[in-house]
Amino acid sequence: MVMSAGELAKLIGAAVEGDPNVRVSGVSSPERAGANDLIYLDAPKHRERAEASRAKCVLAHSGVRMADKTVLEAAEPKLAFAKAGSRLAVAPTVHSETHATAIVAPDAKVGKTVSIGPYAVIEPGAEIGSGTMIEAFCYIGRGARIGENCLLHPRVTLYEGARVGNRVEIHSGTVIGSDGFGYVFGDGQQWKFPQVGEVRIGDDVEVGANATIDRGSLETTEISRGVKIDNLVQIAHNVKIGEHSVVAAQTGVSGSATLGQRVVVGGQVGIADHCRIEDGAMLGAQAGIPSGKTIRAGQVVWGTPARPLDRFKEQYAHASRLPDLVERVRKLEQKLAGQ
Amino acid sequence: MVMSAGELAKLIGAAVEGDPNVRVSGVSSPERAGANDLIYLDAPKHRERAEASRAKCVLAHSGVRMADKTVLEAAEPKLAFAKAGSRLAVAPTVHSETHATAIVAPDAKVGKTVSIGPYAVIEPGAEIGSGTMIEAFCYIGRGARIGENCLLHPRVTLYEGARVGNRVEIHSGTVIGSDGFGYVFGDGQQWKFPQVGEVRIGDDVEVGANATIDRGSLETTEISRGVKIDNLVQIAHNVKIGEHSVVAAQTGVSGSATLGQRVVVGGQVGIADHCRIEDGAMLGAQAGIPSGKTIRAGQVVWGTPARPLDRFKEQYAHASRLPDLVERVRKLEQKLAGQ
Amino acid sequence: MVMSAGELAKLIGAAVEGDPNVRVSGVSSPERAGANDLIYLDAPKHRERAEASRAKCVLAHSGVRMADKTVLEAAEPKLAFAKAGSRLAVAPTVHSETHATAIVAPDAKVGKTVSIGPYAVIEPGAEIGSGTMIEAFCYIGRGARIGENCLLHPRVTLYEGARVGNRVEIHSGTVIGSDGFGYVFGDGQQWKFPQVGEVRIGDDVEVGANATIDRGSLETTEISRGVKIDNLVQIAHNVKIGEHSVVAAQTGVSGSATLGQRVVVGGQVGIADHCRIEDGAMLGAQAGIPSGKTIRAGQVVWGTPARPLDRFKEQYAHASRLPDLVERVRKLEQKLAGQ
């Protein structure tokens, strides 16, 4: 997409300082930018990198001036840059095309302008909304439903009956709707607890590569609108994740845990079964939330078992000074023994 | 599968209280149940949900009575419910069918009533037992052997020579028989230690989605009968896991570690190389077992490095009170200084 | 490959003690070895196993003698054994063959003696160097470039533009070049930060199964020559890993972190964003390196937050004795109260 700095500024709500006719066609880092790339500057320490860049247009805080560059002024340059990126990105043109090698069940309902890649398999009863791209080797199980304008990268598996909303992007290797992990031991063996529930992914969700999202056991696993899930994340049966929450790589959410809206989960976090993470809570990387625990709205927690960040820091500081404390107690003992 | 409450009760060893002729055809949660679904109740707090359900048949502890419902009485309702689920589930009918697009080597030995899905690849010398379903995009390497009545979901990879027992279910994206991770540094580079061993999966094993189980280096990686492995689990070279053990999601078992029978491993646990986890031990979520350590039979451990649960709790409680202790020591010092 | 003990000794820099004409054709463990397998012995406690082996040739420290066996003497038997393994391994013969079902774009550049397996998809503009094997179901995105003598096991995904060096081995299910995980929250939703950078894998790299390596956001994700990456590892956008570093299973490296050369990372380690791990550092299993932190060259760290191994041990020992310390303080308080 090519547009003028002025046009772009309007789309992202920025003010223009300098020539509004400069052409912008992409986003880049200062070092890699060409003349028509947009760069951004959100901290004074990066000013030199921005100045040395070939880019003619820079997104920055109000008041920033740079010789020979058009400045798009925004209160939050990084946010505005992300918006600019999405405006400038050339969306892949979806041709209404089913590759000759794709196997689409005769009764599958495929919308208009849908692209189905080589060797994709669409099972009976599946539905695919208009404008959606299904890339190579995707497997869309029996009765699974995918909304409009989705992008499934190569090798995504949707088990039978899985439901995916609109404008959802799923990266390569991800599996949605596999059986939950539940067994009851008896008579000398493990008996599988029924895993016959559903799995629903809301609108505007993005799921990274090689992630796994299990179907519900008797209930439904639900990923709400706007949720972002990173690579290698595990979401167990019956989990509910509220709108616009983000879950970083390699985190695991155990059975029947619920996350509210705008929850931020760091990488490698473990959330045990039946936990309740309220709106806006933040779980630091590698935190462990024990079974059944509630993390209150807006709380920031850290460690295993997770505790409020301040308390974690205090405890950690004290633990670091333990050798000192032991020495102080020894001296007290000596003193008292000497009396 | 449809049967009467009385027939089902016999199959799962429950007593019937109420009308034994009520029809049962599936399992469900109280809220989602239809009249012919079986529900279960194993705690008084869920009684209202059960009573309000449309289900006409409920599995519960002895002595539970519910107006208008047939009660199947069992000592362990959840266990009985799991058994009922497996009895009522309609097993996928395995048609003796190889999809036209599957590539099956002429010398592969394929049993009776085997179903091979679209775009599956079965390499030379592979063997597949009767009643087994191989779904789309599965790759069965040269000389790999799969037993009877197995279910391989789409996109499972078996490397050359991997062996899988009977009634094994493997979920989408899982890789079995990849090379172990072993290198020796010398002459300025990493030299790969030979990874030429075997991998064997016993009968009645279930492996979740996107898991990885490496072949042995010089020995054999062995997953015994009845073991259950969750999504995204890593099993390294030469690991042995004993019968009926369960390993929750994202756990990693390092090279040459051994797990006994009925071991229960929580999620995100790390078991270092050459550990020995004895029968019936339980490793809490996110626990870390240091290299070479033994966990005794039946022990419950927690934390990193893992220690017995009681000790972990005591230490954690003391750590939480460290700020108090420091204050107490400060007061003692003051007092003594003042003498 | 079959050769004499004498020939092999020359290739790996070992001295021969005993009959140099013994034939050697593979490597094995003592128990599984046949007469022509090479075994190794690097600790006296394994001597009996070696003696009882059918193998006629053993790699061992200088001075080791064994009746009826040829001893290849090396300063580091395990290293020499790894070298021997690579010398004796029969490299898969790469036939110049594109399977009839592979879909290779007409303008893709495919080198000499390249093997492309069933159902592989090679998109327009992709390049594949001579001697490389691409196995079944691999997806090589638009403009991706793979060097010479690589081995891509079944079901590897390379996103558009990904670059892979020479002699690289990538195991099944691994995804290279997926979008990084970066969002900026504003106007009530998450905005995706542009993920338009590159990803480059150097020569002689090995990547395990079901791993994920994201492309850069605006920069480049770089895995340098000789790096070894285990199963289920996550490498985020803009990460740089220096030559010959090894990263064990399930570790996650967050955005813009850098690892120097010969860094050794244990399993399940979490390296937060913008960390700097210098040459030769070692990160113990499950360690957590907080955001932006530097680990100095050669340092060995452990725990979360990671600290030097000695300090970790000392703190842990003190923490284990906390109940004692509390008791000692209580006694001091009693004593003082009694005065």
Side-chain angles (χ1 to χ4, degrees):
Chain A
M1 198 77 85
V2 187
M3 57 182 90
S4 72
E7 288 169 311
L8 179 61
K10 250 182 224 161
L11 289 171
I12 64 173
V16 187
E17 181 61 42
D19 180 2
N21 296 315
V22 161
R23 303 269 94 186
V24 185
S25 63
V27 291
S28 181
S29 67
E31 290 74 17
R32 297 161 56 104
N36 297 327
D37 282 322
L38 176 73
I39 61 173
Y40 83 107
L41 171 67
D42 68 348
K45 66 174 172 179
H46 295 305
R47 192 181 163 97
E48 269 184 54
R49 293 174 58 203
E51 277 175 337
S53 175
R54 279 167 297 181
K56 288 187 182 160
C57 189
V58 57
L59 244 164
H61 287 288
S62 288
V64 170
R65 295 292 172 273
M66 232 172 265
D68 302 326
K69 293 202 199 301
T70 297
V71 178
L72 304 191
E73 299 180 310
E76 299 178 66
K78 194 175 176 186
L79 172 59
F81 186 73
K83 290 180 182 177
S86 73
R87 291 299 186 168
L88 291 167
V90 182
T93 317
V94 183
H95 298 287
S96 190
E97 183 182 339
T98 297
H99 194 277
T101 61
I103 298 176
V104 181
D107 73 343
K109 286 185 192 153
V110 177
K112 290 175 190 164
T113 337
V114 164
S115 159
I116 301 178
Y119 300 125
V121 172
I122 318 286
E123 295 282 19
E127 295 183 29
I128 299 170
S130 298
T132 284
M133 286 188 72
I134 307 282
E135 297 207 47
F137 309 122
C138 281
Y139 178 85
I140 311 301
R142 204 170 266 272
R145 280 152 66 174
I146 304 172
E148 301 185 352
N149 301 307
C150 292
L151 172 51
L152 271 63
H153 290 270
R155 283 207 287 123
V156 168
T157 297
L158 263 56
Y159 274 59
E160 182 172 343
R163 290 198 199 179
V164 169
N166 302 308
R167 298 172 304 279
V168 170
E169 180 166 4
I170 305 178
H171 285 275
S172 188
T174 282
V175 175
I176 294 185
S178 37
D179 286 1
F181 193 70
Y183 299 89
V184 191
F185 193 81
D187 308 341
Q189 64 167 106
Q190 306 286 354
W191 293 83
K192 184 170 181 166
F193 192 84
Q195 302 293 335
V196 296
E198 299 182 9
V199 57
R200 288 187 204 183
I201 312 286
D203 295 342
D204 302 303
V205 167
E206 181 163 2
V207 184
N210 283 349
T212 55
I213 302 178
D214 287 340
R215 65 193 320 108
S217 53
L218 304 175
E219 314 282 345
T220 300
T221 304
E222 276 191 85
I223 312 297
S224 304
R225 186 161 62 94
V227 166
K228 310 297 180 186
I229 292 175
D230 201 355
N231 299 345
L232 294 168
V233 164
Q234 147 73 357
I235 307 289
H237 54 279
N238 306 341
V239 165
K240 319 276 183 212
I241 302 186
E243 295 188 2
H244 305 304
S245 290
V246 298
V247 180
Q250 295 178 319
T251 280
V253 185
S254 304
S256 303
T258 62
L259 281 70
Q261 300 185 10
R262 290 204 207 172
V263 169
V264 176
V265 184
Q268 295 185 335
V269 169
I271 299 174
D273 60 288
H274 295 89
C275 283
R276 181 183 152 85
I277 315 296
E278 296 183 350
D279 293 353
M282 296 186 62
L283 317 183
Q286 288 191 332
I289 321 293
S291 181
K293 191 165 161 89
T294 295
I295 302 295
R296 293 285 165 220
Q299 238 184 355
V300 179
V301 300
W302 209 265
T304 300
R307 64 217 90 152
L309 180 55
D310 286 353
R311 200 139 66 79
F312 178 81
K313 281 183 175 166
E314 191 195 28
Q315 282 178 23
Y316 181 70
H318 281 302
S320 303
R321 290 193 295 263
L322 256 181
D324 279 351
L325 188 68
V326 171
E327 183 56 22
R328 284 161 65 187
V329 170
R330 204 187 53 76
K331 278 188 184 155
L332 286 169
E333 287 168 339
Q334 266 185 335
K335 237 178 176 172
L336 268 177
Q339 286 188 326
Chain B
M1 198 77 83
V2 187
M3 58 183 89
S4 73
E7 288 169 312
L8 179 61
K10 249 183 227 163
L11 289 170
I12 63 174
V16 186
E17 181 60 42
D19 180 1
N21 297 315
V22 162
R23 304 267 93 186
V24 185
S25 64
V27 291
S28 182
S29 67
E31 291 73 18
R32 298 161 56 104
N36 296 327
D37 282 324
L38 177 73
I39 62 173
Y40 83 106
L41 172 67
D42 68 349
K45 66 174 172 178
H46 295 305
R47 193 182 162 96
E48 270 184 51
R49 293 174 58 204
E51 277 175 337
S53 175
R54 280 167 297 181
K56 289 187 180 160
C57 189
V58 56
L59 244 164
H61 286 288
S62 288
V64 170
R65 296 292 173 271
M66 231 171 266
D68 303 327
K69 293 202 199 301
T70 297
V71 177
L72 304 191
E73 298 180 310
E76 299 178 64
K78 195 175 176 185
L79 172 60
F81 186 74
K83 290 180 181 176
S86 74
R87 291 300 187 168
L88 291 167
V90 181
T93 318
V94 183
H95 298 287
S96 190
E97 185 184 336
T98 298
H99 194 278
T101 61
I103 298 175
V104 181
D107 73 343
K109 286 185 192 153
V110 177
K112 291 175 191 165
T113 338
V114 165
S115 159
I116 300 178
Y119 300 126
V121 172
I122 318 286
E123 295 282 20
E127 294 184 30
I128 299 170
S130 298
T132 284
M133 286 188 70
I134 307 282
E135 298 208 48
F137 310 122
C138 281
Y139 178 85
I140 311 301
R142 204 169 266 270
R145 281 151 66 173
I146 304 172
E148 301 186 353
N149 301 306
C150 292
L151 171 53
L152 271 63
H153 289 271
R155 285 207 287 122
V156 167
T157 298
L158 262 57
Y159 274 60
E160 183 171 342
R163 290 197 199 180
V164 169
N166 302 307
R167 299 173 303 281
V168 171
E169 181 168 2
I170 306 177
H171 284 276
S172 188
T174 282
V175 175
I176 295 185
S178 37
D179 286 1
F181 193 70
Y183 298 89
V184 191
F185 193 82
D187 307 342
Q189 65 167 105
Q190 306 287 352
W191 293 84
K192 185 170 181 167
F193 192 85
Q195 302 294 333
V196 297
E198 300 183 8
V199 56
R200 288 186 203 184
I201 313 286
D203 296 342
D204 302 302
V205 168
E206 181 163 1
V207 184
N210 283 348
T212 55
I213 302 178
D214 286 340
R215 66 192 320 107
S217 51
L218 303 175
E219 314 283 344
T220 300
T221 303
E222 275 191 85
I223 311 296
S224 302
R225 187 162 61 94
V227 167
K228 311 298 180 184
I229 292 175
D230 201 355
N231 299 343
L232 294 167
V233 164
Q234 147 73 356
I235 307 289
H237 54 279
N238 304 341
V239 165
K240 318 275 183 212
I241 301 186
E243 294 189 2
H244 306 304
S245 291
V246 296
V247 181
Q250 295 176 321
T251 280
V253 185
S254 305
S256 303
T258 62
L259 281 70
Q261 300 186 11
R262 290 204 206 173
V263 169
V264 176
V265 183
Q268 296 183 336
V269 169
I271 299 173
D273 61 287
H274 295 88
C275 283
R276 180 183 153 87
I277 316 296
E278 296 183 350
D279 293 353
M282 296 186 61
L283 316 184
Q286 289 190 332
I289 320 293
S291 180
K293 192 166 160 86
T294 296
I295 303 294
R296 293 284 165 221
Q299 240 186 354
V300 179
V301 300
W302 208 266
T304 299
R307 63 218 91 152
L309 180 55
D310 287 352
R311 200 138 67 80
F312 178 80
K313 281 183 176 168
E314 191 194 28
Q315 282 178 21
Y316 182 70
H318 281 303
S320 303
R321 290 193 296 262
L322 254 181
D324 280 351
L325 187 68
V326 171
E327 183 56 23
R328 284 161 66 188
V329 170
R330 204 188 53 77
K331 279 187 184 155
L332 286 169
E333 287 167 339
Q334 265 185 335
K335 237 176 174 172
L336 268 177
Q339 286 189 329
Chain C
M1 198 76 85
V2 187
M3 58 182 89
S4 72
E7 288 168 310
L8 179 61
K10 249 183 226 162
L11 288 171
I12 64 173
V16 187
E17 181 60 43
D19 181 1
N21 297 316
V22 161
R23 303 267 96 186
V24 185
S25 64
V27 291
S28 182
S29 68
E31 290 74 17
R32 298 161 55 105
N36 297 327
D37 282 323
L38 176 74
I39 62 173
Y40 82 107
L41 171 68
D42 68 348
K45 65 174 173 179
H46 295 305
R47 192 182 163 96
E48 270 184 52
R49 293 174 58 204
E51 278 175 337
S53 174
R54 279 167 297 180
K56 289 187 182 159
C57 189
V58 56
L59 244 164
H61 286 288
S62 287
V64 171
R65 295 291 173 271
M66 233 172 267
D68 302 327
K69 294 202 198 301
T70 297
V71 178
L72 304 190
E73 299 180 309
E76 300 178 64
K78 195 175 176 187
L79 172 59
F81 186 73
K83 290 179 181 176
S86 73
R87 292 298 187 170
L88 291 166
V90 181
T93 318
V94 183
H95 298 287
S96 190
E97 183 182 339
T98 297
H99 194 277
T101 61
I103 299 176
V104 182
D107 72 343
K109 286 186 193 153
V110 177
K112 289 176 194 165
T113 337
V114 165
S115 159
I116 301 178
Y119 301 125
V121 172
I122 318 287
E123 296 282 21
E127 295 184 29
I128 299 170
S130 298
T132 284
M133 285 188 72
I134 307 282
E135 297 208 48
F137 310 122
C138 281
Y139 178 85
I140 311 302
R142 203 171 267 271
R145 281 151 65 172
I146 304 172
E148 301 185 353
N149 300 307
C150 293
L151 171 53
L152 272 62
H153 290 271
R155 284 206 288 122
V156 168
T157 297
L158 262 57
Y159 274 60
E160 183 172 341
R163 290 197 198 179
V164 169
N166 302 308
R167 298 172 303 279
V168 170
E169 180 167 4
I170 305 177
H171 285 275
S172 189
T174 283
V175 175
I176 295 185
S178 37
D179 286 1
F181 193 69
Y183 298 90
V184 190
F185 193 82
D187 307 341
Q189 64 167 104
Q190 307 287 353
W191 293 84
K192 183 170 180 167
F193 192 85
Q195 303 293 334
V196 296
E198 300 183 9
V199 57
R200 289 186 204 183
I201 313 286
D203 295 343
D204 301 302
V205 167
E206 181 164 2
V207 184
N210 283 347
T212 55
I213 302 178
D214 287 340
R215 66 191 320 107
S217 52
L218 303 175
E219 314 283 344
T220 300
T221 303
E222 276 191 85
I223 311 296
S224 303
R225 188 161 60 94
V227 166
K228 310 298 180 184
I229 292 175
D230 201 355
N231 298 344
L232 294 167
V233 164
Q234 148 73 357
I235 307 289
H237 53 280
N238 305 342
V239 165
K240 319 273 182 214
I241 302 187
E243 294 188 4
H244 305 303
S245 290
V246 297
V247 181
Q250 296 176 321
T251 280
V253 185
S254 305
S256 302
T258 61
L259 281 70
Q261 300 186 11
R262 290 204 207 173
V263 169
V264 176
V265 184
Q268 297 184 334
V269 169
I271 300 173
D273 61 287
H274 295 88
C275 283
R276 182 183 151 87
I277 315 297
E278 295 183 350
D279 294 354
M282 296 187 62
L283 316 183
Q286 289 190 332
I289 320 294
S291 180
K293 192 166 159 90
T294 295
I295 302 295
R296 293 283 165 221
Q299 238 186 354
V300 179
V301 300
W302 209 265
T304 301
R307 64 218 90 151
L309 180 55
D310 287 351
R311 200 138 68 79
F312 178 80
K313 281 183 175 167
E314 190 194 28
Q315 282 178 22
Y316 181 70
H318 281 302
S320 304
R321 290 193 296 262
L322 254 182
D324 279 352
L325 187 68
V326 170
E327 182 55 22
R328 284 162 64 187
V329 170
R330 204 188 53 76
K331 279 189 185 154
L332 286 169
E333 286 167 338
Q334 265 185 335
K335 237 177 174 172
L336 267 178
Q339 286 189 329

